[in-house]
């Protein structure tokens, strides 16, 4: 069986072209969606299942009681159609499948690459044959050992039928996947309640919503090919170079030229590229503004990074090593954070040389954060969003790096035409993109103003309430305030009230001799939320619910822990202790083997 649609991306040198950028973004977005859904799939029953901390059926009953027939609008979710443990699992694991399909979409939907569907019986290999026109059976050419060709007709399997339908759907199938991913993740975020009420969840939903407006980028064979390879099926029409969204619309010699330029700028990609840049700008700049207006003195005296490495929710081993750096290096890290969040974001909305500076600086900073913090897929998604600061000509390295695999791969280029013959010229996508911009930009500006004034802006804030439930334009304020002391609430359980055992979490610092663990791109929801319990009373209620489920022996909740407490026996008594945790130094760690030291602050 042939390998599935191996391709090499082409070089794109046209100024203002974003076809390759969009293609690469969608493949990366599929991987991030996959990681996010896998992370939730293994936790969702403990968070929202029938025995979970916030049972889904209770949430739907509350929404129906509060909002009546508008409950679906106040609580947008697929689970209005069906609720329970099985629907939760189906949506979560279905999201994993859809994410993988989105990543592999060009290899699945390319109509010229159907050799991977061939089945050869007793043959040394299978040749390519177009079977898409055969509704009831597949004609399979097979090559025998003596080079004789014969055709066998085999009944189509369900998988073959699905693949053929996907291949015919073209860019609309890709858009359907994006819609399912957005709706599925939105439903799980609603179900997770406070456990999924974090900025990375909002960022993924907003980026996923914008991706619905990206034109389908089909791959078609390019004429120049990889050296030494046979590119025998060149595209009938050249790939159009779409104009740079930052280019001038006015100032043209006549009105018709200006209108023509504006209409070309609304052919999907340029406007949506600007919206993605606007999202990245807001993510970075609003986070900087939040730090500026937080009043936290550690940003002024440049000690924020020194504190954060030790007091962040879930540090990994890199944070311990970074914490040992000289004081001047950590202060430099704080100054760099202010620079990349307050100054460089302005470059995102400027011409190409400035954008490239912002892109590489942002990517570098995200890599440094990944090296020192467990922020799930958040930083990876930020890096992926930086793709829209580049043009196709800036990604020529992608072609060169992939083409080294040799002539076994066929050279393809992204096409503006969607697979299956659909084109963007006559579709509604440009108009829908424009309408989306008319909603998203004012909505995001209102949120930014609320961040600055730190209060709702009535009556403008009133109309945003219903839209906010869909997370299509969000507020971003990443760790505006940095705790100076790491406080941990430790849960101890007992069966008789005499012998006590500490709960063993998967990623929280419990045992002093356990090195901080790497979790990226996973987001351990329970471990993360417990960090907030000493910080804010808002988190006491879900924590109390967790303890209640622990006492009744809820299996899905217990599976959120590293191991069952009391060897799986009943938990009859629970007590809480408050500890202060600190990193050890290199000498202490070498002598004792402990990565943490702690002191009791009482029950």
């Amino acid at each position: 069986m042939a390998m599935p649609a191996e391709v090499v991306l082409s070089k794109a040198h046209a100024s203002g072209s974003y076809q390759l950028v969009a293609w690469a973004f969608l493949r990366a977005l599929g991987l991030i969606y996959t990681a996010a859904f896998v992370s939730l799939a293994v936790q969702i029953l403990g968070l929202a299942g029938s025995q979970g901390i916030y049972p889904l059926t209770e949430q739907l009953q509350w929404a129906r009681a509060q909002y009546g027939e508008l409950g679906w609008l106040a609580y947008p979710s697929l689970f209005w159609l069906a609720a329970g443990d099985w629907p939760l699992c189906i949506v979560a694991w279905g999201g994993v499948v859809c994410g993988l399909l989105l990543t592999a979409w060009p290899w699945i939907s390319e109509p010229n690459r159907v050799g991977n569907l061939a089945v050869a019986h007793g043959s040394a290999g299978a040749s390519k044959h177009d079977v898409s026109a055969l509704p009831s059976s597949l004609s399979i050419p097979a090559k025998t050992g003596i080079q004789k060709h014969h055709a066998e007709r085999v009944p189509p399997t369900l998988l073959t039928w699905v693949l053929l339908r996907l291949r015919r759907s073209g860019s609309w199938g890709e858009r359907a996947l994006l819609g399912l991913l957005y709706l599925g993740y939105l439903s799980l975020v609603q179900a997770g309640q406070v456990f999924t009420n974090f900025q990375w969840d909002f960022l993924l939903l907003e980026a996923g919503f914008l991706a619905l407006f990206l034109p389908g980028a089909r791959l078609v064979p390019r004429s120049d090919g990889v050296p030494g390879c046979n590119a025998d099926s060149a595209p009938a029409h050249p790939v159009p170079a779409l104009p740079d969204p930052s280019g001038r619309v006015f100032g043209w010699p006549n009105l018709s030229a200006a209108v023509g330029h504006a209409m070309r700028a609304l052919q999907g990609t340029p406007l949506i590229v600007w919206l993605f840049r606007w999202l990245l700008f807001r993510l970075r700049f609003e986070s900087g503004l939040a730090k500026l207006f937080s009043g936290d003195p550690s940003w002024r005296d440049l000690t924020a990074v020194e504190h954060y490495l030790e007091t962040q929710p879930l540090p990994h081993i890199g944070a311990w090593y970074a914490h040992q750096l000289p004081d001047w290096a950590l202060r430099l890290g704080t100054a760099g954070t202010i620079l990349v969040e307050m100054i460089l974001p302005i470059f995102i909305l400027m011409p190409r040389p400035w954008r490239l500076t912002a892109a590489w600086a942002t990517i570098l900073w995200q890599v440094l954060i990944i090296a020192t913090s467990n922020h799930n897929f958040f930083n990876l998604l930020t890096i992926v969003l930086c793709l829209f600061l580049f043009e196709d000509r800036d990604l020529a390295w992608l072609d060169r790096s992939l083409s080294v695999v040799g002539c076994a791969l066929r050279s393809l280029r992204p096409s503006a035409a969607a697979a299956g013959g659909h084109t963007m010229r006559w579709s509604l996508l440009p108009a829908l993109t424009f309408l989306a911009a008319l909603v998203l930009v004012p909505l995001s500006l209102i949120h930014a103003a609320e961040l600055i004034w730190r209060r709702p802006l009535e009556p403008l804030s009133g109309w945003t309430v219903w839209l906010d439930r869909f997370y299509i334009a969000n507020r971003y304020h990443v760790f505006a305030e940095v705790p100076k002391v790491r406080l941990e609430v430790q849960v101890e359980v007992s069966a008789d009230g005499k012998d006590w055992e500490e709960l063993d979490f998967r990623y929280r610092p419990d045992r002093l001799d356990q090195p901080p663990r790497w979790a990226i791109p996973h987001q351990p929801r329970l471990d993360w939320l417990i960090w907030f319990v000493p910080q804010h009373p808002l988190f006491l209620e879900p924590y109390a619910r967790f303890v209640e489920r622990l006492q009744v022996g809820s299996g899905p909740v217990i599976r959120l822990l590293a191991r069952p407490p009391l060897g799986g026996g009943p938990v009859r008594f629970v007590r809480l202790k408050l500890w202060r945790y600190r990193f050890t130094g290199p000498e202490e760690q070498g002598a004792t083997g402990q990565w943490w030291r702690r002191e009791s602050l009482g029950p």
Side-chain angles (χ1 to χ4, degrees):
M1 182 176 291
M3 293 181 64
E6 303 88 342
V7 297
V8 177
L9 299 178
S10 70
K11 299 176 183 178
H13 298 289
S15 175
S17 175
Y18 299 94
Q19 296 295 335
L20 183 56
V21 168
W23 187 95
F25 173 79
L26 290 175
R27 307 291 73 78
L29 181 64
L31 290 175
I32 291 175
Y33 259 132
T34 299
F37 274 103
V38 169
S39 178
L40 274 177
V42 298
Q43 303 176 82
I44 194 62
L45 291 183
L47 303 178
S50 58
Q51 301 181 56
I53 298 173
Y54 284 100
L56 175 62
T57 52
E58 292 182 10
Q59 300 178 40
L60 295 176
Q61 291 170 3
W62 178 88
R64 189 179 293 110
Q66 288 290 114
Y67 299 98
E69 295 181 355
L70 294 179
W72 65 271
L73 190 58
Y75 186 97
S77 172
L78 294 174
F79 298 120
W80 287 107
L81 303 175
D85 290 356
W86 276 108
L88 282 167
C89 292
I90 289 172
V91 170
W93 290 110
V96 175
V97 174
C98 289
L100 293 173
L101 285 175
L102 178 61
T103 301
W105 190 251
W107 293 268
I108 296 173
S109 64
E110 175 57 40
N112 295 324
R113 303 283 296 175
V114 300
N116 56 321
L117 295 181
V119 178
H121 298 282
S123 64
S127 62
K128 286 186 281 186
H129 191 76
D130 191 354
V131 297
S132 60
L134 299 176
S136 61
S137 62
L138 299 178
S139 179
I140 309 295
K143 186 185 296 183
T144 66
I146 57 175
Q147 303 299 315
K148 290 183 178 180
H149 289 63
H150 67 280
E152 299 179 6
R153 298 182 75 80
V154 298
T157 64
L158 177 61
L159 177 60
T160 304
W161 183 87
V162 170
L163 290 176
L164 289 176
R165 299 287 78 74
L166 288 173
R167 296 167 73 78
R168 287 181 175 181
S169 64
S171 66
W172 297 109
E174 185 175 50
R175 211 173 310 283
L177 283 177
L178 287 166
L180 289 173
L181 287 164
Y182 170 78
L183 291 175
Y185 202 73
L186 174 64
S187 302
L188 292 175
V189 166
Q190 298 285 8
Q193 292 292 294
V194 68
F195 290 96
T196 49
N197 190 36
F198 292 103
Q199 294 175 71
W200 34 87
D201 299 310
F202 306 158
L203 181 64
L204 180 55
L205 284 171
E206 186 169 350
F209 179 77
L210 287 179
L212 288 166
F213 301 95
L214 282 173
R218 172 190 166 212
L219 295 181
V220 297
R222 81 178 195 200
S223 57
D224 49 344
V226 175
C229 296
N230 180 23
D232 53 0
S233 53
H237 304 285
V239 178
L242 295 168
D244 190 323
S246 62
R248 292 183 299 119
V249 174
F250 302 103
W252 286 73
N254 56 68
L255 180 62
S256 62
V259 172
H261 180 86
M263 292 305 296
R264 286 194 301 274
L266 293 180
Q267 287 300 311
T269 298
L271 180 59
I272 195 61
V273 165
W274 187 90
L275 288 175
F276 272 108
R277 291 176 184 171
W278 177 244
L279 168 59
L280 183 61
F281 167 78
R282 287 166 36 229
L283 170 65
R284 308 302 294 146
F285 191 67
E286 287 181 9
S287 296
L289 284 180
K291 293 175 175 59
L292 178 65
F293 291 112
S294 69
D296 188 339
S298 64
W299 294 109
R300 293 194 301 271
D301 60 24
L302 302 182
T303 59
V305 169
E306 177 184 356
H307 294 303
Y308 183 73
L309 290 170
E310 183 177 77
T311 64
Q312 62 179 300
L314 297 178
H316 60 64
I317 190 66
W320 185 90
Y321 283 103
H323 193 257
Q324 316 305 324
L325 293 174
D327 180 69
W328 65 266
L330 299 177
R331 289 178 182 271
L332 185 63
T334 305
T337 301
I338 296 173
L339 174 66
V340 299
E341 292 189 358
M342 292 295 297
I343 306 300
L344 289 179
I346 300 174
F347 295 2
I348 291 173
L349 304 179
M350 295 177 69
R352 179 170 172 267
W354 300 91
R355 292 200 311 267
L356 295 180
T357 301
W360 288 115
T362 302
I363 291 172
L364 171 62
W365 219 251
Q366 299 308 303
V367 170
L368 291 176
I369 294 174
I370 291 171
T372 55
S373 302
N374 274 318
H375 285 174
N376 50 77
F377 55 82
F378 191 30
N379 306 110
L380 298 173
L381 181 53
T382 304
I383 292 174
V384 170
L385 287 172
C386 288
L387 281 170
F388 289 102
L389 304 185
F390 299 98
E391 299 174 6
D392 284 357
R393 54 178 166 166
D394 301 314
L395 300 184
W397 58 269
L398 187 58
D399 181 25
R400 291 193 296 270
S401 63
L402 290 178
S403 62
V404 298
V405 298
C407 294
L409 306 182
R410 176 181 284 275
S411 177
L412 301 172
R413 64 152 56 104
S415 167
H422 300 292
T423 64
M424 298 309 304
R425 182 182 299 277
W426 303 109
S427 75
L428 292 175
L429 187 61
L432 293 175
T433 306
F434 182 73
L435 291 176
L438 291 180
V439 174
L440 298 178
V441 174
L443 183 59
S444 59
L445 288 174
I446 292 173
H447 288 162
E450 291 173 339
L451 176 66
I452 295 174
W453 275 278
R454 310 189 76 175
R455 60 178 176 82
L457 298 181
E458 300 296 347
L460 293 177
S461 297
W463 73 275
T464 70
V465 173
W466 295 95
L467 288 175
D468 286 346
R469 293 178 170 89
F470 292 86
Y471 303 106
I472 57 176
N474 303 287
R475 305 168 182 84
Y476 297 102
H477 44 85
V478 182
F479 290 105
E481 299 182 34
V482 178
K484 309 305 181 291
V485 177
R486 183 179 192 90
L487 300 178
E488 292 286 353
V489 177
Q490 183 62 56
V491 183
E492 296 183 351
V493 296
S494 173
D496 55 11
K498 298 179 181 178
D499 298 321
W500 295 89
E501 176 184 312
E502 292 185 355
L503 290 187
D504 190 5
F505 291 85
R506 295 181 183 273
Y507 296 94
R508 287 183 63 229
D510 293 315
R511 300 202 319 268
L512 303 182
D513 60 346
Q514 178 178 296
R517 297 184 60 188
W518 180 280
I520 299 170
H522 177 51
Q523 168 69 8
R525 302 286 174 167
L526 178 62
D527 297 52
W528 188 278
L529 182 131
I530 289 179
W531 178 85
F532 289 92
V533 173
Q535 313 291 336
H536 200 285
L538 172 67
F539 299 94
L540 291 175
E541 194 263 344
Y543 194 69
R545 280 176 166 262
F546 159 68
V547 173
E548 290 174 5
R549 295 296 187 269
L550 200 65
Q551 288 183 292
V552 299
S554 168
V557 172
I558 291 175
R559 284 192 289 272
L560 297 176
L561 303 173
R563 58 183 177 85
L566 304 177
V571 175
R572 292 192 172 91
F573 300 92
V574 178
R575 69 183 184 187
L576 307 179
K577 285 188 175 181
L578 186 65
W579 298 86
R580 177 178 180 178
Y581 274 67
R582 291 187 177 95
F583 276 142
T584 58
E587 294 183 1
E588 183 178 353
Q589 198 283 325
T592 64
Q594 295 182 346
W595 302 87
W596 297 96
R597 59 177 180 270
R598 68 181 186 179
E599 59 180 291
S600 176
L601 300 180

